[in-house]
Amino acid sequence: MKKIAFIGAGSMAEAIISGLVTQQVINPADIFVTNKKNDERFTYLTEQYGVTPTRSLPQLLENANIVVLAVKPKDILTTMQSIKEYIQEDMLFISVVAGVHTASLEGIAAKPVAIVRAMPNTSAAVGKSATALSANAHTNESQLQTAITLFETVGSVAIVEETQLDAVTGLSGSGPAYIYYLVEALERSAESIGLDAVTAKQLILQTLTGAAEMLQKSPKTPAVLRKEVTSPGGTTEAGLKALQAHHVQEAFISCVQEATEQSKRMGNQISKELAKYVVPQ
């Protein structure tokens, strides 16, 4: 990685920058960042990570071998049009813009550029993201490996087909919110049975951490691990019966399916809006 240009300076861009700098993947001075008009954000990122802020597109993109698109979906057309004249065919574009297909980006660029689309999640902020990557046909193995290295600084990486990214969005992209929702329910249940909030939080978080560690290190399936905890006539069985009676597992399945369908609907709408700007190649 010789020079990385970040277009967008929000929380996801910062998480990636933090990972790159912390793990010394690239010299911080070779990370260039731009945003629309938030000067306070520029100052913060410069002081915190030593990056180079700029609103000069020539300075941002000159000799950049990686361009990270980290803007809102509604801003992607304006962004791509603004940098179009500076795009070089040897650049690697990495997009964390939800719902925007690689074909749309390539079409607006009107050049056969390498594009890797990424779906990280908000746990990137603490270096624990589950990120899925999908590359277009112009991306070579070296460029894909570069993208993998970049996202491994903020967690784990899986390679998928682009058609699977909606499913990834529904499962792990939105996944942290499902876990937080579960923790909210556990906290409410703790209050209802007389546990104080501080003690409950400690017990809940350690329980989640321990269960995740077991799932990672044990060769046993979740179903087997669950059965090993569940003694006939015991407390766990009683609790699980209550969950089954409320169809909790089915509710989680519906949750992920609906989030996936919404990702598809949003992506199709964005693609439709961008279609008239795509240049045939």
Side-chain angles (χ1 to χ4, degrees):
M1 300 184 190
K2 293 179 290 186
K3 176 181 175 182
I4 302 178
F6 279 81
I7 303 179
S11 57
M12 186 55 68
E14 181 183 355
I16 297 170
I17 290 168
S18 176
L20 292 169
V21 171
T22 301
Q23 298 192 31
Q24 300 180 337
V25 173
I26 185 172
N27 186 333
D30 293 326
I31 300 175
F32 284 66
V33 182
T34 193
N35 66 8
K36 283 184 179 179
K37 56 184 178 181
N38 191 334
D39 292 332
E40 289 182 6
R41 189 69 175 160
F42 267 14
T43 301
Y44 166 76
L45 291 173
T46 302
E47 293 178 350
Q48 185 73 15
Y49 304 106
V51 301
T52 303
T54 181
R55 291 203 177 91
S56 164
L57 292 180
Q59 182 187 18
L60 177 74
L61 296 169
E62 184 180 13
N63 299 320
N65 62 327
I66 302 170
V67 180
V68 179
L69 301 170
V71 299
K72 297 182 185 302
K74 66 181 180 64
D75 295 327
I76 191 61
L77 176 61
T78 303
T79 297
M80 291 300 291
Q81 289 178 330
S82 69
I83 66 172
K84 190 173 180 179
E85 65 180 286
Y86 305 106
I87 295 175
Q88 302 297 319
E89 291 186 7
D90 61 349
M91 287 177 169
L92 167 62
F93 280 80
I94 297 176
S95 171
V96 295
V97 186
V100 180
H101 300 157
T102 56
S104 296
L105 295 172
E106 186 181 337
I108 299 169
K111 289 186 176 78
V113 292
I115 303 171
V116 173
R117 187 176 161 196
M119 176 46 66
N121 62 32
T122 55
S123 298
V126 291
K128 296 294 182 181
S129 175
T131 303
L133 302 179
S134 178
N136 72 346
H138 302 297
T139 305
N140 60 41
E141 285 299 320
S142 175
Q143 290 170 320
L144 179 57
Q145 185 56 55
T146 295
I148 291 171
T149 299
L150 186 148
F151 282 98
E152 282 182 339
T153 68
V154 292
S156 66
V157 175
I159 306 299
V160 302
E161 296 295 326
E162 187 168 10
T163 54
Q164 295 179 301
L165 280 180
D166 291 314
V168 170
T169 301
L171 181 65
S172 59
S174 299
Y178 311 152
I179 303 302
Y180 302 149
Y181 190 78
L182 172 62
V183 172
E184 286 181 75
L186 290 172
E187 287 180 335
R188 289 177 61 188
S189 68
E191 181 181 4
S192 73
I193 58 178
L195 283 174
D196 68 90
V198 174
T199 301
K201 182 176 182 179
Q202 177 187 345
L203 293 172
I204 291 167
L205 295 184
Q206 187 57 42
T207 299
L208 286 171
T209 302
E213 194 81 3
M214 284 288 289
L215 287 166
Q216 284 187 321
K217 294 187 175 180
S218 173
K220 299 173 184 177
T221 65
V224 170
L225 290 171
R226 171 176 55 80
K227 289 174 182 176
E228 289 181 350
V229 183
T230 311
S231 302
T235 58
T236 305
E237 183 181 67
L240 288 172
K241 282 182 177 179
L243 291 177
Q244 290 163 359
H246 287 84
H247 306 288
V248 171
Q249 193 170 85
E250 290 81 358
F252 268 99
I253 293 170
S254 295
C255 165
V256 174
Q257 289 174 337
E258 182 55 33
T260 300
E261 290 305 310
Q262 179 66 2
S263 178
K264 290 179 182 178
R265 289 189 288 265
M266 291 170 63
N268 289 337
Q269 181 61 35
I270 293 170
S271 294
K272 191 181 298 183
E273 293 171 359
L274 295 178
K276 59 185 175 183
Y277 299 100
V278 171
V279 179
Q281 296 185 35

